[in-house]
Amino acid sequence: MLWTADKTKDVLFWGCVSYAVATVINLLGIAGFWSTFTIIWPVCAGIYVAQASLQVLPAGKAVLVTGCDSGFGHATALHLDKLGFRVFAGCQFAKAGGEGSLRLKREGSERLHVLQIDLTSSEELTQAFEEVKRILPEGEMFWGLVNNAGIARKGAVEWSPMEYYRQAAEVNYFGTIAITKLFLPLIRLSKGRLVIVTSVIGRCGVPICSPYVGTKFALEGFSDCLRLEMKQFGVKVCVVEPGSHVIATDVLTKEKIQGLRDGCWEKMSDEIRAAYGETNFRQMYAAFVDHGERDHGGERYDGGTFPRARYCSGSRTYQQMLFVGEHLPEWVYDYLYSST
């Protein structure tokens, strides 16, 4: 079992619960505090760790992963394939012979099937759905969907043209909803699992990222609603919140960042250009290059029988940012994480 910061938090949580129970028992004169605490905490933590270690048996289960051309999706598709799941890997550039889809075909087993999926195309989504049903052998069930596909659009609110917001929303938000609704009936039948990849900055905003951040906040809310609705059917809905993995994925290459920068500058008015200054503007975009963690994080997807509602795979820096944003006054967060 991979040990994560989330598991550490849960063990500490049971420590706090055990402390409270031991205090009450001591006050009632039933038993001493330390004798109670040193029994309850290890027992509760042990039960939790044992439960968290239980893994889903992959035999006879099929999973669809979107956004497999590179990054998280690519790594996750290969990881699930090695575990023994039948994997449908959705790639935007499969028909064009993209490098990512070709590598999946080479490195994956016969259980891994590459599908052409552009989340903004209803025709391709329908074709993928029919292809999954056609390929799925008798006796196997469609069990899981990993909604990983997404695009990044960076820019301050005054810099970013409306097309950046629409592009990000079409893929990250509406595309995720569309494919989820399409495959949800199959997942309900198998009492399976939905995984939705959002971001650490889907819970706390950062400067120069509003087109992207807005879609991730929206996905967090969508996921919460869906989790509550699916509980009656035995379907588990999990959110995965990565940190920044710009280096390790192709979500923002140097060329993509320069393209976004030039697109903003071209459409900005002279007044906005003068207000921010070209030097400051270019420095902001330069900071995105070679930014973030160097691993792709694909192995952090959890296949536990009793999954958490949320998994935060961000680094310690992002964990601290979340804590400040959610538990301290806003002015503290603004002081630490504003762009000025």
Side-chain angles (χ1 to χ4, degrees), residues 298-320:
E299 74 282 357
R300 292 175 185 169
Y301 289 95
D302 193 283
T305 304
F306 301 98
R308 297 172 57 90
R310 276 179 172 78
Y311 294 89
C312 181
S313 66
S315 64
R316 184 176 300 177
T317 299
Y318 283 101
Q319 298 273 352
Q320 292 170 349

Side-chain angles (χ1 to χ4, degrees), residues 65 94 151 171 255 294 315:
V65 184
I151 60 172
V171 177
E255 291 72 25
R294 294 185 177 275
S315 64

Side-chain angles (χ1 to χ4, degrees), residues 205-207 317 320-322 324-325 332-340:
V206 293
T317 299
Q320 292 170 349
M321 186 174 75
L322 272 179
V324 173
V332 178
Y333 185 87
D334 294 352
Y335 175 78
L336 293 174
Y337 299 108
S338 68
S339 58
T340 55

Side-chain angles (χ1 to χ4, degrees), residues 3 25 31 150 163 187 200-201 209 218 224 247-248 252 258 271 274 329:
W3 194 265
I25 290 176
E163 65 192 71
I187 297 175
V200 170
I201 55 176
C209 290
D224 282 344
I247 296 175
L252 274 182
Q258 290 172 345
E271 189 276 330

Side-chain angles (χ1 to χ4, degrees), residues 57-68:
L57 297 176
K61 296 182 177 67
V63 177
L64 169 62
V65 184
T66 65
C68 294

Side-chain angles (χ1 to χ4, degrees), residues 175-203:
T176 295
I177 294 174
I179 196 168
T180 297
K181 287 171 67 66
L182 195 60
F183 282 90
L184 205 49
L186 298 181
I187 297 175
R188 275 195 287 102
L189 288 175
S190 64
K191 299 185 185 300
R193 182 147 325 159
L194 277 157
V195 176
I196 299 176
V197 180
T198 61
S199 173
V200 170
I201 55 176
R203 284 202 280 156

Side-chain angles (χ1 to χ4, degrees), residues 219-286:
L219 279 180
E220 290 276 346
F222 171 74
S223 302
D224 282 344
C225 294
L226 188 61
R227 186 183 72 251
L228 296 173
E229 293 168 1
M230 288 296 106
K231 190 173 181 180
Q232 62 181 311
F233 300 108
V235 174
K236 303 292 195 302
V237 179
C238 309
V239 169
V240 175
E241 299 168 335
S244 175
H245 296 264
V246 172
I247 296 175
T249 68
D250 290 332
V251 66
L252 274 182
T253 61
K254 184 177 181 180
E255 291 72 25
K256 288 179 181 178
I257 293 171
Q258 290 172 345
L260 292 172
R261 178 198 66 195
D262 295 343
C264 285
W265 187 257
E266 180 184 343
K267 297 188 177 183
M268 284 163 56
S269 68
D270 291 338
E271 189 276 330
I272 294 176
R273 290 177 182 174
Y276 289 92
E278 185 173 359
T279 300
N280 177 58
F281 170 82
R282 293 187 177 276
Q283 286 176 344
M284 288 291 189
Y285 276 99

Side-chain angles (χ1 to χ4, degrees), residues 27-41:
L27 291 174
L28 293 175
I30 299 173
F33 172 82
W34 287 110
S35 60
T36 305
F37 179 73
T38 53
I39 293 174
I40 296 179
W41 189 14

